[in-house]
């Protein structure tokens, strides 16, 4: 009986360990670990800027449409630069490219610091910084992802995807919380100064990295490279569908532009509450990412993505009905974040396994349109609806439209519904193309 009990405990322990995030890519690869840590700290800085800029605009204007205008400005660079950025990433040294983008991000953040210290500076300068930050991020993000996944060994790819998503969520949890706390204690200037330190840390990490960040990059022509990237995505329905479902969900189901309004005018919780609102989805996502071992083990990844995104939409819709309870709104935002990261891990696993290294930058740049263009377009939609109706109605209907859009994408892409990953010993993942 004792041996049987010990055996059950041993099996339970192994199952629990299998459910946790696989960190083997960090522990066994020093170069990957260094670049991963640099990206984590840089992401913290980026998240602080993301929360501070709309807050500054809303405090100055008290207008939801003014926040929507910032999103519209950012959309210009996202849609205008993402495709050329991918070809750029796949045609030049990624280390030099990252050094340039991170330096520009640092300089632009220092300009924002000036606007916080000198409030008489025109608000137009904040919008100009938003455009510059968005433009650099459109280049920087595909370069970072391509560089990170190019140095990891194929057998560690699932682990790399999982810890990369975990880093994103750590940044998304701590960044808004740090930003809200800094704004509350030291004002906007403290937040922008901290963000600048994050970009500076990434520069130090890149300077000390000795592993090459590019492979098989010769011969990529910029214009033809963009066409090849689009052709690759369009020719692989399993990849295209992951981007389509993410774009749909982000346009309708991620009302982050309304968080300053919720914090100041609905819940009356100020800058610290804004940090909690922005950090709640990421907190749920962080918990889910730490348990991503169970998620990556799912074989029917396509159906799981559909299910998680539908749950995300319903959770966001519930937030729209909870103007009377700040804690309940945070709870449903956390549930939504957990569903989002579970879907994101599965989407990234499909994309990275299908995409060859020479194409990673271009595929990452097209994916960036969904990942970042979708939320910014959603900001415009959410603020416009809120200005005509109410904040709660905008969030509620956005969540329902997210569910409807997800089901529509699922019906149009059988490759996503039928995607099943074979066990490692069975060979490559089965992808319907």
């Amino acid at each position: 009986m004792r041996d049987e009990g010990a055996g059950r405990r041993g099996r339970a322990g192994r199952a629990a360990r299998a459910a946790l995030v696989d960190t083997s890519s960090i522990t066994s690869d020093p170069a990957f670990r260094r670049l991963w840590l640099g990206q984590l700290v840089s992401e913290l800085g980026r998240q602080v800027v993301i929360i501070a800029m709309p807050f500054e605009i809303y405090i100055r204007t008290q207008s939801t449409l003014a926040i929507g205008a910032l999103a519209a400005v950012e959309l210009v660079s996202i849609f205008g630069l993402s495709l050329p950025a991918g070809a750029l990433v796949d045609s030049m040294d990624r280390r030099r490219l990252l050094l340039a983008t991170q330096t520009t991000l640092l300089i632009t953040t220092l300009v924002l610091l000036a606007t916080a210290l000198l409030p008489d500076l025109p608000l137009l300068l904040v919008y100009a910084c938003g455009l510059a930050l968005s433009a650099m991020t459109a280049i920087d993000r595909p370069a970072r992802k391509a560089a990170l996944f190019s140095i990891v060994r194929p057998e560690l790819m699932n682990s790399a995807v999982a810890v990369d998503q975990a880093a994103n969520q750590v940044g998304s949890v701590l960044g808004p919380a740090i930003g809200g706390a800094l704004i509350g204690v030291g004002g906007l200037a403290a937040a922008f100064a901290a963000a600048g330190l994050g970009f500076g840390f990434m520069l130090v990490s890149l300077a000390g990295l000795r592993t090459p960040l590019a492979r098989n990059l010769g011969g990529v022509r910029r214009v033809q490279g963009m066409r090849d990237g689009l052709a690759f995505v369009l020719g692989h329905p399993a990849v295209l569908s992951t981007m389509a479902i993410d774009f749909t969900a982000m346009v309708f189901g991620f009302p982050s532009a309304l968080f300053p309004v919720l914090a100041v005018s609905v819940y009356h919780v100020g800058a610290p509450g804004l940090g909690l609102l922005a950090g709640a989805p990421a907190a749920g996502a962080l918990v889910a990412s730490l348990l991503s071992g169970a998620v990556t083990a799912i074989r029917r990844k396509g159906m799981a993505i559909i299910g998680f995104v539908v749950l995300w939409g319903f959770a966001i819709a519930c937030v729209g009905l909870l103007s009377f309870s700040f804690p309940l709104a945070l709870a449903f935002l956390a549930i939504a974040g957990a569903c989002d990261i579970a879907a994101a891990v599965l989407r990234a696993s499909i994309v990275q396994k299908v995409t060859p290294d020479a194409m990673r930058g271009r595929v990452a740049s097209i994916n960036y349109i969904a990942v970042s263009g979708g939320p910014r377009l959603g900001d415009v939609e959410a603020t416009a609806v809120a200005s005509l109706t109410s904040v709660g109605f905008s969030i509620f209907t956005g969540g329902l439209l997210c569910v409807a859009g997800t089901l529509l994408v699922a019906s149009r892409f059988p490759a996503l519904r039928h995607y099943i990953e074979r066990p490692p010993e069975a060979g490559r993942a089965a992808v319907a193309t």
Side-chain angles (χ1 to χ4, degrees), residues 175-243:
I178 292 171
L182 287 173
I183 294 171
V185 174
L188 284 161
F192 289 130
L197 291 175
F199 297 133
F201 184 89
M202 179 63 171
L203 287 170
V204 173
S205 298
L206 286 167
L209 192 66
R210 297 291 175 260
T211 301
L213 298 183
R215 294 200 305 251
N216 303 323
L217 301 182
V220 176
R221 298 187 179 187
R222 303 288 163 78
V223 176
Q224 185 59 45
M226 288 188 283
R227 293 173 181 161
D228 292 344
L230 282 171
F232 178 86
V233 171
L234 294 174
H236 291 77
V239 175
L240 178 60
S241 62
T242 65
M243 298 180 185

Side-chain angles (χ1 to χ4, degrees), residues 72-390:
V73 166
E74 293 170 338
L75 275 172
V76 172
S77 56
I78 291 172
F79 287 115
L81 288 178
S82 291
L83 287 178
L88 188 67
V89 170
D90 284 339
S91 63
M92 69 176 291
D93 182 88
R94 290 167 182 165
R95 185 203 306 274
R96 291 174 58 191
L97 189 58
L98 284 170
L99 286 169
T101 56
Q102 290 288 318
T103 299
T104 308
L105 288 169
L106 173 58
I107 293 171
T108 307
T109 304
L110 294 178
V111 175
L112 285 169
L113 174 60
T115 68
L117 292 173
L118 303 170
D120 290 335
L121 290 173
L123 190 61
L124 185 62
L125 193 56
V126 177
Y127 285 103
C129 288
L131 178 63
L133 284 163
S134 181
M136 283 302 99
T137 304
I139 302 171
D140 179 77
R141 187 177 179 88
R144 284 192 288 123
K145 297 306 177 186
L148 190 68
F149 293 124
S150 70
I151 62 177
V152 71
R153 300 194 303 274
E155 64 271 18
L156 296 176
M157 184 60 74
N158 268 346
S159 169
V161 167
V163 297
D164 176 58
Q165 291 292 338
N168 289 341
Q169 300 315 314
V170 169
S172 298
V173 170
L174 295 182
I178 292 171
L182 287 173
I183 294 171
V185 174
L188 284 161
F192 289 130
L197 291 175
F199 297 133
F201 184 89
M202 179 63 171
L203 287 170
V204 173
S205 298
L206 286 167
L209 192 66
R210 297 291 175 260
T211 301
L213 298 183
R215 294 200 305 251
N216 303 323
L217 301 182
V220 176
R221 298 187 179 187
R222 303 288 163 78
V223 176
Q224 185 59 45
M226 288 188 283
R227 293 173 181 161
D228 292 344
L230 282 171
F232 178 86
V233 171
L234 294 174
H236 291 77
V239 175
L240 178 60
S241 62
T242 65
M243 298 180 185
I245 203 168
D246 188 38
F247 185 78
T248 302
M250 292 297 98
V251 167
F252 297 113
F254 192 52
S256 59
L258 297 177
F259 287 167
V261 187
L262 289 173
V264 175
S265 302
V266 176
Y267 296 118
H268 308 290
V269 290
L274 171 62
L276 292 176
L277 284 167
L286 177 60
V287 173
S289 67
L290 295 177
L291 298 174
S292 61
V295 175
T296 55
I298 296 173
R299 293 186 59 213
R300 296 189 65 87
K301 286 181 165 54
M303 288 300 296
I305 290 171
I306 295 166
F308 282 126
V309 178
V310 166
L311 289 175
W312 154 277
F314 278 126
I316 293 297
C318 289
V319 173
L321 301 175
L322 293 170
S323 60
F324 59 90
S325 176
F326 183 61
L328 277 177
L330 293 179
F332 275 94
L333 284 172
I335 293 170
C339 295
D340 180 48
I341 193 59
V345 168
L346 294 171
R347 290 195 308 268
S349 178
I350 293 174
V351 172
Q352 293 304 327
K353 288 187 175 181
V354 173
T355 306
D357 184 57
M359 193 67 69
R360 288 193 197 282
R362 282 162 285 178
V363 173
S365 70
I366 297 170
N367 188 57
Y368 180 73
I369 295 175
V371 171
S372 291
R376 299 293 77 76
L377 190 60
D379 288 345
V380 175
E381 178 271 334
T383 53
V385 174
S387 69
L388 295 173
T389 56
S390 69

Side-chain angles (χ1 to χ4, degrees), residues 21-37 148-149 151-166:
V21 60
D22 179 3
T23 60
S24 56
S25 55
I26 298 176
T27 56
S28 63
D29 192 329
F32 180 89
R33 180 169 60 247
R34 184 183 187 92
L35 187 57
W36 176 84
L37 182 60
L148 190 68
F149 293 124
I151 62 177
V152 71
R153 300 194 303 274
E155 64 271 18
L156 296 176
M157 184 60 74
N158 268 346
S159 169
V161 167
V163 297
D164 176 58
Q165 291 292 338

